[in-house]
């Protein structure tokens, strides 16, 4: 970060800092993407195409849960009737490159957070600047938990739903490679970023843009949205929908709690 204080920096100075933030973050993503090249076989064979196997850990977990809850084999998955195909000449090359870049973004996320912290830190109090390590650690953990949630919960449920859904027995499911991998990337990254909601609410509350009463007021709408998303990405059974919905609702409730905490601290500073 520049040695200039926030008050001394012009609009163009801020743009310059932002430009270098994006440059350094992009370089970090590219470096990590190049590193994933050496384990690309594992990334594709085990991670990317893992959920296409009925023995995938998530499917086995739900099958065991089905037996435990007395539902017999009602949510057990024994077959995923679809194939994955490539229909364009450069399709596999493009998917290889963009998958490595996506993996690079995930692995470089803590560094990107560090760059973001350096960019916003001049606007914070001195005491808050000392919390950089805590911010990066917590935000990184939340992001990686979201990525894991997206991969082990949302992705297999989505695959199971689209693989078993059919408008007619005449139609066979033959998914395009970019569609399949695109669904995985979108689910994983979106879940990771959604789990950052408490961090976002923390800073928005600090800036006075969000209040606990605002979050409580729109809680019912958030619940409806979460239930709709859960219904879309899961098979039509209650267990799967609850499994997806509960963590997302807990994240929203945690955001309200954080907003209350920040508001309380702000009032203590004003009164002190």
């Amino acid at each position: 970060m520049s040695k200039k204080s926030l008050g001394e920096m012009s609009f163009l100075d801020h743009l310059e800092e932002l430009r270098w933030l994006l440059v350094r973050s992009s370089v970090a993503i590219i470096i990590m993407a190049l590193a994933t090249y050496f384990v690309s076989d594992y990334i594709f064979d085990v991670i990317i195409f893992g959920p296409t196997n009925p023995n995938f850990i998530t499917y086995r977990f739900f099958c065991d849960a089905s037996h435990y809850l007395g539902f017999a084999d009602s949510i057990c998955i024994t077959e995923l009737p679809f194939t994955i195909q490539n229909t364009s000449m450069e399709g596999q090359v493009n998917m290889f490159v963009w998958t490595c870049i996506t993996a690079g973004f995930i692995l470089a996320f803590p560094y990107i957070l560090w760059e973001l912290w350096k960019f916003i830190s001049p606007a914070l109090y001195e005491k808050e600047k000392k919390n950089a390590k805590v911010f990066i650690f917590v935000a990184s953990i939340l992001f990686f938990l979201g990525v894991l949630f997206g991969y082990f919960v949302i992705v297999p449920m989505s695959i199971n739903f689209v693989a078993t859904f059919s408008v007619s027995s005449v139609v066979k499911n033959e998914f395009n490679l970019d569609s399949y991998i695109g669904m995985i990337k979108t689910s994983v990254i979106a879940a990771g970023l959604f789990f950052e909601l408490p961090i976002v609410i923390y800073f928005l509350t600090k800036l006075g843009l969000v209040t606990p009463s605002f979050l409580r007021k729109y809680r019912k709408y958030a619940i409806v949205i979460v239930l709709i998303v859960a219904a879309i990405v899961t098979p039509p059974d209650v267990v799967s929908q609850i499994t997806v919905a509960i963590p997302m609702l807990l994240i929203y409730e945690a955001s309200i709690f954080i907003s209350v905490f920040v508001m309380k601290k702000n009032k203590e500073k004003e009164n002190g």
Side-chain angles (χ1 to χ4, degrees):
M1 194 69 185
S2 171
K3 293 183 179 180
K4 292 182 178 180
S5 66
L6 185 64
E8 296 174 342
M9 292 180 66
S10 66
F11 177 72
L12 292 179
D13 289 330
H14 284 294
L15 286 181
E16 181 67 11
E17 291 291 344
L18 180 60
R19 183 176 74 87
W20 280 108
L21 181 156
L22 296 175
V23 169
R24 290 191 293 268
S25 297
S26 299
V27 171
I29 292 172
I30 292 173
I31 291 174
M32 298 308 297
L34 292 174
T36 61
Y37 169 80
F38 299 99
V39 290
S40 58
D41 289 343
Y42 180 85
I43 290 176
F44 281 94
D45 295 337
V46 178
I47 298 179
I48 298 295
F49 296 115
T52 64
N53 188 337
N55 290 320
F56 188 65
I57 185 173
T58 302
Y59 304 139
R60 288 190 280 111
F61 171 80
F62 278 103
C63 187
D64 293 340
S66 176
H67 293 156
Y68 180 79
L69 296 173
F71 297 149
D73 294 334
S74 60
I75 56 176
C76 287
I77 298 171
T78 58
E79 183 184 11
L80 292 171
F82 71 92
T83 58
I84 301 174
Q85 60 180 344
N86 175 51
T87 58
S88 60
M89 292 184 63
E90 71 283 1
Q92 295 199 52
V93 175
N94 289 338
M95 284 302 100
F96 180 87
V97 172
W98 283 109
T99 299
C100 287
I101 291 175
T102 303
F105 171 78
I106 294 173
L107 294 175
F109 194 75
Y111 176 79
I112 296 173
L113 287 174
W114 170 250
E115 288 290 342
L116 181 62
W117 179 268
K118 290 194 298 180
F119 181 73
I120 65 176
S121 60
L124 303 176
Y125 293 107
E126 194 63 33
K127 183 178 179 180
E128 295 170 332
K129 294 179 182 180
K130 298 178 181 179
N131 295 328
K133 292 181 180 179
V134 175
F135 163 76
I136 294 170
F137 176 78
V138 173
S140 297
I141 291 297
L142 287 174
F143 178 75
F144 290 133
L145 285 176
V147 167
L148 292 175
F149 178 75
Y151 177 72
F152 285 106
V153 178
I154 296 178
V155 166
M157 288 184 176
S158 300
I159 290 175
N160 176 44
F161 177 71
V162 298
T164 55
F165 182 85
S166 177
V167 295
S168 170
S169 59
V170 176
V171 182
K172 304 300 180 183
N173 284 326
E174 297 180 348
F175 303 138
N176 204 354
L177 177 64
D178 60 349
S179 175
Y180 173 80
I181 295 183
M183 183 273 295
I184 293 180
K185 290 190 296 184
T186 300
S187 300
V188 167
I189 298 298
L193 295 178
F194 178 80
F195 271 56
E196 293 294 301
L197 182 62
I199 302 296
V200 174
I201 294 299
Y202 173 85
F203 285 105
L204 290 179
T205 305
K206 292 284 292 183
L207 295 172
L209 300 177
V210 169
T211 62
S213 59
F214 173 85
L215 295 174
R216 292 192 185 101
K217 178 181 178 180
Y218 290 95
R219 177 193 278 127
K220 57 185 178 182
Y221 301 107
I223 293 174
V224 171
I225 293 173
V226 166
L227 292 177
I228 291 175
V229 171
I232 292 174
V233 302
T234 62
D237 66 81
V238 177
V239 176
S240 300
Q241 292 170 6
I242 291 177
T243 302
V244 172
I246 287 180
M248 298 175 72
L249 292 175
L250 289 176
I251 289 292
Y252 189 84
E253 292 300 322
S255 299
I256 296 177
F257 175 79
I258 289 172
S259 183
V260 171
F261 175 79
V262 174
M263 287 288 290
K264 182 180 178 181
K265 289 294 183 181
N266 287 344
K267 289 181 179 179
E268 289 178 355
K269 289 179 181 180
E270 292 175 358
N271 298 330

